Amino acid sequence: MRRIVVFTMLALLLASSAHAIRIKDIAAFEGVRENQLVGYGLVVGLNGTGDSDQASIHIQSVVNMLERMGITTNVGSIKLKNVAAVMVTATLPPFTKQGNQLDVLVSSMGDAKSIAGGTLIMTPLRGGDSQVYAVAQGSVLTNSFAFGGQAASAQKNHPTAGSIPSGALVEREIPNVLAGKTTLRLNLHKADFTTASRIETAINAKFNSAVATTTDPGSVILKIPEAYANRPVEFVAALETLEVRPDNQAKVVLNERTGTIVMGENVRISTVAVSHGNLSLVIRETPQVSQPTALSTGGQTVTVPRTELKVTEESRRLMVLPEGASIGDVVRALNQLGVTPRDLIGIFQAIKASGALQADLSII
């Protein structure tokens, strides 16, 4: 039954790899990407689970915040248990407009026991250029708890990190990378000469002109046609839906921990003979007690060892795999030997060592 499931999964993988893929799934336009944001803030309202006095960074932060609000206080006179210093992170999608909302992640920096139930105070989120792009604030959700005493404690999930859904408002927009452009660069997720050439051919056939050119296997240069001079969005939309069959390197991936084997459709082997058999040795000790006969004199009760030894060696045929055998031929031939997925891992390693496997072997 397990072998049938493996055959079915391989058949589905091979069938899906034979179909073309949309360009938007294998490539992206230069500049159209997400941007990471980060900020430092304070979570207040904790029930005595905040940072301790040893982590003085939150105390200094509270003093600075109060001074900005016109309240003067002394650092040494403040004792806080309901405040935690946190780092706030978010991802800014491309073409996000001012006023859009973002999800944020809140993570404790100090020795707070839990930030569950706390509220994040207004925190500016900055990009790599140190500019503020969003501001975060709201109630922190952790889906966890942590309670304890001197002799026992209980905890569920991770109480020192949480999230605020739609907790940030975008204040600054990223410049439009498509505005005023006459050429665009399409970057492949995985550089490949054949795939780049196929994308170039598909785009030029779509627009009936030399719109696309390739300079390296990782990108395709696009010249916006005159008909789309003021409509770059429509031009990009027309490109993204084009279907291209990507080309991949022949590769076999083995996972020794789980016994998983994944092979690409381009895997080929040279002529090779394979035989596989297992040697099983079973040793069983069943000691017996020997007693003297009734009414005998001078006898002793002793333990007599009894060892049962059984050796079993599986008989396997020598299977010849012809040169140029495809992935289906390899799987069918090896399964005729009656091997398990874990046995296949050792067989593929041996075939690779013999130089007969025309593919990259990756062990994870």
Side-chain angles (χ1 to χ4, degrees):
M1 185 65 182
R2 183 178 181 181
R3 197 171 301 162
I4 295 175
V5 173
V6 173
F7 274 141
T8 304
M9 293 179 62
L10 288 174
L12 292 175
L13 291 174
L14 293 177
S16 62
S17 63
H19 294 291
I21 308 298
R22 295 180 304 173
I23 289 180
K24 69 185 303 180
D25 297 324
I26 59 176
F29 287 93
E30 186 178 50
V32 182
R33 62 178 181 85
E34 296 179 339
N35 292 272
Q36 295 177 336
L37 305 178
V38 65
Y40 167 78
L42 294 173
V43 172
V44 299
L46 303 177
N47 187 18
T49 59
D51 293 336
S52 65
D53 295 338
Q54 296 179 352
S56 59
I57 182 173
H58 70 294
I59 298 179
Q60 184 63 53
S61 300
V62 171
V63 171
N64 295 340
M65 180 182 65
L66 293 177
E67 288 181 351
R68 289 194 299 268
M69 295 181 178
I71 302 175
T72 303
T73 183
N74 185 7
V75 177
S77 62
I78 296 181
K79 301 293 183 181
L80 300 174
K81 293 184 179 180
N82 298 338
V83 180
V86 295
M87 293 301 296
V88 184
T89 58
T91 300
L92 183 65
F95 305 111
T96 303
K97 301 304 179 181
Q98 186 175 3
N100 290 156
Q101 296 178 331
L102 306 175
D103 296 337
V104 298
L105 298 177
V106 182
S107 304
S108 173
M109 291 180 58
D111 56 0
K113 297 179 181 178
S114 174
I115 60 174
T119 301
L120 176 69
I121 301 300
M122 183 181 296
T123 303
L125 302 180
R126 303 176 185 273
D129 56 358
S130 299
Q131 298 292 328
V132 176
Y133 286 89
V135 176
Q137 181 172 282
S139 300
V140 180
L141 303 178
T142 61
N143 295 321
S144 63
F145 64 80
F147 303 103
Q150 295 182 352
S153 62
Q155 177 177 321
K156 179 182 179 181
N157 297 336
H158 200 72
T160 55
S163 62
I164 307 178
S166 302
L169 289 176
V170 176
E171 300 293 343
R172 183 191 297 268
E173 299 179 9
I174 297 177
N176 189 351
V177 296
L178 300 179
K181 290 289 188 68
T182 58
T183 60
L184 299 175
R185 181 187 294 271
L186 187 66
N187 296 327
L188 278 67
H189 296 329
K190 183 178 180 181
D192 185 84
F193 287 99
T194 304
T195 304
S197 178
R198 290 176 181 175
I199 292 177
E200 176 188 8
T201 302
I203 294 176
N204 291 337
K206 167 70 175 179
F207 296 97
N208 231 2
S209 61
V211 173
T213 57
T214 55
T215 57
D216 59 80
S219 61
V220 179
I221 306 300
L222 306 172
K223 182 180 179 181
I224 301 179
E226 291 294 335
Y228 293 91
N230 297 322
R231 299 180 298 161
V233 175
E234 296 182 19
F235 175 67
V236 172
L239 288 178
E240 288 184 333
T241 56
L242 291 179
E243 294 186 347
V244 176
R245 183 180 178 184
D247 192 65
N248 297 310
Q249 180 184 3
K251 194 170 187 178
V252 179
V253 181
L254 309 177
N255 190 325
E256 291 186 319
R257 295 186 299 274
T258 61
T260 303
I261 302 174
V262 178
M263 295 177 283
E265 64 171 337
N266 297 321
V267 174
R268 296 292 185 272
I269 63 172
S270 302
T271 302
V272 64
V274 178
S275 178
H276 181 76
N278 292 327
L279 179 65
S280 176
L281 177 62
V282 179
I283 301 177
R284 180 180 301 173
E285 295 288 349
T286 55
Q288 297 181 354
V289 177
S290 177
Q291 294 181 334
T293 60
L295 304 178
S296 64
T297 59
Q300 293 182 352
T301 301
V302 296
T303 301
V304 180
R306 291 291 186 272
T307 302
E308 181 181 353
L309 182 64
K310 182 179 180 181
V311 179
T312 304
E313 185 175 7
E314 298 181 5
S315 60
R316 300 295 188 190
R317 300 194 306 269
L318 188 66
M319 180 67 64
V320 178
L321 302 178
E323 183 176 2
S326 64
I327 176 65
D329 300 330
V330 173
V331 174
R332 282 189 294 270
L334 293 179
N335 274 279
Q336 288 180 10
L337 295 176
V339 297
T340 65
R342 294 189 181 275
D343 294 330
L344 285 174
I345 293 177
I347 292 175
F348 273 110
Q349 290 175 331
I351 294 177
K352 180 64 176 180
S354 68
L357 182 63
Q358 311 305 325
D360 183 24
L361 186 64
S362 177
I363 302 177
I364 58 176

